[in-house]
Each structure stands twice: as C-alpha cells, then as structure tokens.
Amino acid sequence: MSRAQRLLDLIQLLRRHRRPVAGAVLALELGVSLRTLYRDIESLKAQGAPIDGEAGIGFVLRPGFLLPPLMFSEEEIEALVLGSRWVSERADGALGQAARNVLAKVGAVLPEDLKQGIEASGLLIGPGAPIAAGDAELPAIRAAIRAERKLRIGYADELGKATERTIWPVALAFFDRVRVVVAWCELRDGYRHFRCDRIAALEPLADRFPRRRAALFKQWRELQGVAEQ
C-alpha cells in the first residue's frame, strides 16, 4: 500500500469514529506500527487535517473536514455509480433525479481518468418487477422525516380496513416491490410499518416529534434487534 493510500485510509477511519479513538486501535486497523501511525497523523495535521488529540488520550477528526472528490478510490466510485443507478431506477422520480444530479456533479470535478470510470462503469441495475403505487407521497414523507414533523394518514390494512393515523415517520425503507414507512403510531402507541401503496391520504402537520428522530430511530433498531453499523 502506498503512503498516500494509507493516509487516505487513516482519514476515512477517523471519520467513522465520533469520539476519540486510541492510537493503538487505529494502528491495528491500518496494519501499521504505532510509531508509523503517529507519524502519519502528524503528516495529516501538517496538510491541514483538523485532528485533535494526542498519544495516550486518543485522536478524533473534527466535523466538517472534506476530502476533494479526486481522492475517491476506483472502488468508491463504483459504489457511488451502482448506488446512484439503483436509486435512479428504483426510487421515486424526485429522488431518482437527485441521484443523477449527484453523478453529474461528481463527474464534473473528477480527473479525466476517474471520470471515465463513471461513464463506462460495467455495474448495472437489472430490471425488476413493477413497484406498487405510492410514489406521489414519498417526497412529503421524506420531508417530514428530515423536519421531524408528524403526518396524518389515511391507511388501509391488508384486509382493506381503513383507519386514520397520526404518525412520527423515522425512516423509509425501499424494498424490491414496495416502500415502507417506519413510524411511531399514536393510535397504536408503538412503532408500526406502513406500506406506502396502502396510504390513501396524507397530510403533513406542523407538530414536531416530541423526541428527536435519532433517538426514535435508535430505539426502533434496538427493538428490531438491528446492530449498529
């Protein structure tokens, strides 16, 4: 591994940790000696990377540090292309267009050899079964998730029984054929999963969640037995 790649890997590793992490842990994950790790950190600091900490305490990368797109590896570009193509094919129209815009913006600032990796990528998204209805509601659902605001929905269960719910949407899951809203349901006083194609009516409300979405999402993950990434 080149030193430049090692420094990039160190930045990415620090980015994954929100709290100070010991030098020994970083060195182990990178497969280098502790002495080399300390030397690499000093090199990054000299190049402007905002790394706080010291030996014996730990190191943390302050928020806001951005790497230029030309620092993407070939595999990272492939991941970006594949993910963007999936979203453009399988998500709603607005999100699909946003995915195409992302690729265009990244491609505009990449050096020529890496730009060709986007245009000529051999990673494709195969055709899938038609996705159930409900696309029209997705932008409003995503906006409510971002703003942490409640939604009032008219919902029909699998038997066709209609109810009116006030929900706190915390996540939106994209499956091959359906989209599902993960939300706290005030009517059921618990977390429920709502298929978007069964939402007959939707009204965004001004009321905010009584708790932060991050806390609600973490609680839902724990109840589902989903490990933290």
Side-chain angles (χ1 to χ4, degrees):
M1 178 190 299
S2 68
R3 185 166 184 270
Q5 183 63 50
R6 191 175 73 239
L7 293 178
L8 176 59
D9 289 347
L10 175 55
I11 284 289
Q12 301 290 20
L13 181 56
L14 285 167
R15 194 190 297 277
R16 295 201 297 267
H17 291 275
R18 296 183 180 181
R19 296 181 176 83
V21 56
V25 173
L26 295 171
L28 181 62
E29 292 200 41
L30 291 170
V32 299
S33 69
L34 192 57
R35 187 172 186 175
T36 297
L37 184 279
Y38 290 150
R39 187 167 58 245
D40 286 349
I41 286 178
E42 291 305 315
S43 295
L44 288 172
K45 286 182 177 180
Q47 296 175 36
I51 300 173
D52 292 334
E54 58 186 75
I57 296 177
F59 300 92
V60 64
L61 181 68
R62 292 202 302 272
F65 179 68
L66 299 176
L67 290 172
L70 58 85
M71 295 297 288
F72 288 153
S73 70
E74 291 183 352
E75 286 193 343
E76 288 169 338
I77 290 175
E78 287 189 334
L80 180 63
V81 170
L82 184 61
S84 296
R85 286 178 176 174
W86 192 96
V87 171
S88 65
E89 293 291 332
R90 303 291 172 84
D92 60 277
L95 204 58
Q97 183 59 53
R100 290 187 287 274
N101 291 343
V102 167
L103 276 185
K105 288 179 179 179
V106 171
V109 295
L110 284 174
E112 194 60 35
D113 58 334
L114 293 181
K115 184 184 301 185
Q116 292 175 2
I118 287 182
E119 298 170 350
S121 174
L123 303 183
L124 305 176
I125 301 299
I131 299 175
D135 274 4
E137 311 294 357
L138 296 188
I141 294 171
R142 294 201 309 273
I145 291 173
R146 291 193 299 267
E148 300 186 355
R149 296 190 183 278
K150 299 180 182 181
L151 293 173
R152 181 180 294 121
I153 63 172
Y155 190 73
D157 63 18
E158 65 274 13
L159 299 178
K161 181 180 178 182
T163 56
E164 185 176 279
R165 315 283 187 102
T166 296
I167 63 173
W168 315 345
V170 299
L172 183 59
F174 289 77
F175 295 89
D176 284 342
R177 298 188 180 185
V178 298
R179 286 81 171 216
V180 175
V181 182
V182 176
W184 178 271
C185 177
E186 293 186 356
L187 179 66
R188 302 305 186 199
D189 193 30
Y191 291 101
R192 293 294 186 271
H193 302 149
F194 300 95
R195 284 180 48 155
C196 292
D197 57 316
R198 293 177 181 168
I199 296 178
L202 182 148
E203 178 188 356
L205 303 178
D207 298 340
R208 298 182 64 88
F209 301 170
R211 298 170 56 197
R212 296 305 304 269
R213 188 190 73 85
L216 293 167
F217 188 50
K218 180 179 180 181
Q219 182 183 49
W220 171 79
R221 289 171 64 91
E222 291 172 348
L223 291 172
Q224 301 300 311
V226 180
E228 292 291 341
Q229 299 297 317

